Amino acid sequence: MSLKTNATYYPAMPSAFKEKLLSDEFIVTSEISPPKGVDASSAFEEAGLVRDYVDAFNVTDNQRAVMRMSPLAMGHLLKEQGLDIIMQFTCRDRNRLALQSDLLGAYAMGMENVCIMSGDYPTKGDNPGAKPVYDLDSVQLLGAMNRLEEGFDIAGNPLESVPSFTKGAVCNTEPDQPLQLMKLEKKARMGIDFFQTQAVYDIGHFETFMESISHIEVPVLAGLIPLKSAHMARFMNEKIPGIRVDDELIARMESSTDPAEEGLLICAEQIRELKKVCRGIHLMPIGHYRHITDLFEMAGLHEKN
Amino acid sequence: MIISSSKPFEEILDNLDDSGKIFVLGCGVCATKLQVGGEPEVEAMCRRLRNAGKEVIGGGVAKAACSIKSKESLLENDPAIEKADTIIVMSCGSGLSVVSSLVDVPVHPATNTDSLGGYSEGHVRKDLCAMCGSCIADFFGGVCPTARCPKGLMNGPCGGAMEGKCEVDPDRDCAWELIYLRLKEIGRLDLLENIFEPKEYDG
């Protein structure tokens, strides 16, 4: 019996996503949640619907502290489908050994784009008694990634081969919250390649935010969640930190005979405005994939290539 | 001081199936101050156990359960303890561990040990310190993020706080909000610029 391996190492593979970040092209990323199970076909289907419009897919990491398939496995499966992946990494579930080891593993499988975040606390999710880790915070994790790129682990031990990541982080868009801006600046000081923001609804407010960080030369991808109902808008205002849907939009949703369609229309208008303000968008469709191609066409975002 | 709280009486009873003769030992320091292991609480525990049909041979309060020097000094407190088949300790887990190391009968806790905190201006203040070693609380205006932020974030808040309240418990102030207010008050907001390296855990 011959032993044949399919393992592939991509030592010098240029990151298509990073090249786009460095260009002046308007970037579109979209979120994919791994399944709560072992069959990834619904994620493939969702990604397949929009793949021609999207530059890279963010694979979520036990999003909202709900246990799902590992993003490393899901990312690899999507990568095999020829998609560009941004691996999300939270600090919640892994200590520094596991974070570094998964980062090296992701890179070895060709996933060099990583977006890091603290992660929602376990009590917010479906395994509320889980022991939270938070061994590193997001700023420290960026530092650890820098160390790996310099050829050392976080404890200073040399690596045998060295990754080169495209590093991203998340941020809120509240220009009047000095602590949020302080943390954003710290992330930028660690040398990151892009920011993805919490969902944006008030473009004027977002412009003020962009002005307040104009000294930070990091591409910003504005988060977008298409509204489905006025109820959803109110819920987000009340329950989701960093999201602010103004009364005017809620009134539009309320008076519409087809709120889901209205939500897409609003989102498309926002995308057109955002094109003037930031480097791209990060779409979080939350189960809304079937209508996303319509949204992209409405927003004047056409198929890539 | 060590913050502890009383266990539900039912839970204590559940551990006493074959308890035989019971002695109840309180602690004269933190547990007394917090009213979970002082004289009145020990007396009440003895009474409740007797009412539940248990044989209680005595009860007393050690000067400090966590620093009992020897078995002899434990007996000096109350010789009846030597005749006990089971000892119930109303102190923190540290006190319980010291008592356990000095006697050869089962020892059960009557309290849960919650955190290292304080008692000031008539209020219990939980989770003030995580006992992590090299103390850098001064960089955070004396509000330790390792102890007081559930995520222990050292470089700023997570995105989960709403209106200054913690993602984990909306009744709890965001530790980073408190850090910000305190540093502003003492004119040291510049300290927020520091990037803190990961903490070293060395067992």
Side-chain angles (χ1 to χ4, degrees):
Chain A
M1 194 175 81
S2 71
L3 191 64
K4 195 176 168 192
T5 174
N6 290 321
T8 315
Y9 172 52
Y10 308 81
M13 185 176 157
S15 162
F17 177 62
K18 186 162 192 174
E19 277 174 15
K20 282 171 185 161
L21 286 171
L22 296 171
S23 74
D24 55 3
E25 189 184 334
F26 192 72
I27 293 169
V28 180
T29 64
S30 182
E31 205 159 89
I32 288 282
S33 293
K36 177 118 188 146
V38 294
D39 180 357
S41 54
S42 62
F44 290 156
E45 195 185 335
E46 286 177 347
L49 287 169
V50 294
R51 63 181 292 165
D52 294 336
Y53 297 82
V54 170
D55 295 297
F57 287 93
N58 277 59
V59 183
T60 58
D61 178 11
N62 293 331
Q63 189 182 8
R64 302 191 64 76
V66 172
M67 191 285 296
R68 290 169 173 274
M69 181 194 282
S70 147
L72 199 62
M74 182 76 240
H76 178 62
L77 294 172
L78 289 168
K79 188 87 191 168
E80 284 186 329
Q81 307 275 316
L83 303 176
D84 208 357
I85 297 303
I86 301 168
M87 184 76 65
Q88 290 193 355
F89 265 89
T90 75
C91 300
R92 177 192 54 230
D93 305 327
R94 306 174 186 86
N95 69 4
R96 66 192 76 177
L97 287 171
L99 285 166
Q100 293 176 100
S101 136
D102 280 356
L103 281 165
L104 294 180
Y107 190 82
M109 292 192 289
M111 292 174 283
E112 64 281 359
N113 312 314
V114 179
C115 182
I116 62 142
M117 56 204 75
S118 308
D120 291 324
Y121 204 73
T123 50
K124 310 286 276 184
D126 69 348
N127 282 252
K131 182 180 184 184
V133 182
Y134 303 109
D135 182 23
L136 304 183
D137 65 29
S138 51
V139 175
Q140 293 163 345
L141 178 54
L142 286 168
M145 293 173 78
N146 290 337
R147 289 289 275 168
L148 294 175
E149 290 177 327
E150 289 160 7
F152 298 94
D153 71 14
I154 194 170
N157 305 299
L159 304 182
E160 293 159 13
S161 46
V162 179
S164 173
F165 297 107
T166 307
K167 299 187 282 288
V170 293
C171 61
N172 283 349
T173 56
E174 300 287 342
D176 50 355
Q177 288 198 11
L179 284 173
Q180 293 293 342
L181 286 182
M182 175 271 285
K183 192 156 186 196
L184 184 155
E185 284 182 11
K186 281 193 187 184
K187 288 170 181 170
R189 276 162 61 197
M190 296 309 273
I192 68 168
D193 300 296
F194 66 99
F195 276 116
Q196 287 183 330
T197 80
Q198 182 53 286
V200 171
Y201 290 98
D202 184 334
I203 304 298
H205 189 76
F206 182 73
E207 279 173 341
T208 311
F209 163 75
M210 288 300 290
E211 277 162 29
S212 73
I213 61 160
S214 57
H215 57 295
I216 295 168
E217 289 176 4
V218 177
V220 173
L221 310 181
L224 286 174
I225 303 175
L227 291 171
K228 292 178 196 170
S229 64
H231 172 77
M232 174 183 171
R234 285 196 203 92
F235 176 85
M236 289 197 297
N237 271 346
E238 210 175 300
K239 302 279 187 196
I240 314 286
I243 293 189
R244 192 192 297 196
V245 190
D246 60 40
D247 293 341
E248 194 190 329
L249 286 188
I250 295 177
R252 264 182 75 178
M253 292 299 290
E254 239 161 17
S255 60
S256 168
T257 50
D258 185 348
E261 179 71 19
E262 188 70 21
L264 291 175
L265 195 63
I266 290 169
C267 197
E269 289 168 16
Q270 287 168 332
I271 292 171
R272 287 182 184 279
E273 291 300 315
L274 287 168
K275 276 183 180 171
K276 302 170 205 158
V277 187
C278 63
R279 288 284 290 107
I281 55 163
H282 171 54
L283 195 68
M284 297 169 267
I286 44 178
H288 218 44
Y289 281 91
R290 301 209 165 273
H291 307 287
I292 294 303
T293 43
D294 297 342
L295 168 68
F296 286 149
E297 293 296 340
M298 278 151 73
L301 295 175
H302 303 297
E303 290 183 38
K304 309 253 175 184
N305 303 317
Chain B
M1 68 191 291
I2 307 221
I3 308 297
S4 50
S5 55
S6 301
K7 274 188 184 292
F9 186 66
E10 295 308 316
E11 187 185 331
I12 297 168
L13 266 190
D14 281 349
N15 292 327
L16 298 175
D17 278 350
D18 304 313
S19 52
K21 295 191 274 293
I22 298 173
F23 189 92
V24 180
L25 184 67
C27 172
V29 195
C30 311
T32 288
K33 206 164 239 178
L34 293 166
Q35 300 177 353
V36 295
E39 295 274 1
E41 294 81 40
V42 167
E43 280 171 27
M45 180 60 72
C46 291
R47 203 166 48 240
R48 291 185 81 180
L49 288 169
R50 285 188 182 114
N51 288 344
K54 297 293 173 187
E55 185 185 353
V56 179
I57 60 166
V61 176
K63 197 171 169 192
C66 63
S67 56
I68 297 169
K69 290 195 198 90
S70 61
K71 187 165 184 181
E72 288 67 38
S73 56
L74 183 61
L75 291 172
E76 273 168 30
N77 193 57
D78 189 335
I81 205 166
E82 193 162 41
K83 299 199 179 72
D85 300 311
T86 298
I87 298 171
I88 291 177
V89 177
M90 304 180 79
S91 77
C92 69
S94 175
L96 175 131
S97 302
V98 169
V99 173
S100 292
S101 72
L102 298 173
V103 300
D104 48 15
V105 295
V107 175
H108 296 291
T111 54
N112 293 324
T113 305
D114 301 324
S115 66
L116 187 59
Y119 186 80
S120 173
E121 297 172 342
H123 297 287
V124 175
R125 301 191 174 176
K126 290 184 170 185
D127 307 321
L128 295 184
C129 170
M131 299 185 290
C132 65
S134 182
C135 187
I136 52 169
D138 50 340
F139 286 95
F140 308 103
V143 180
C144 174
T146 304
R148 297 178 73 175
C149 164
K151 299 180 185 178
L153 303 180
M154 296 172 71
N155 283 300
C158 69
M162 278 190 98
E163 290 169 9
K165 297 296 179 184
C166 178
E167 167 182 308
V168 177
D169 175 6
D171 290 331
R172 176 173 174 163
D173 290 321
C174 166
W176 274 96
E177 187 75 13
L178 297 178
I179 290 167
Y180 179 76
L181 293 174
R182 178 66 188 152
L183 290 177
K184 194 172 177 187
E185 191 175 69
I186 62 172
R188 289 306 308 271
L189 284 173
D190 60 298
L191 291 173
L192 290 172
E193 304 296 321
N194 289 304
I195 289 182
F196 293 93
E197 294 289 319
K199 191 185 295 297
E200 295 291 327
Y201 295 87
D202 53 10

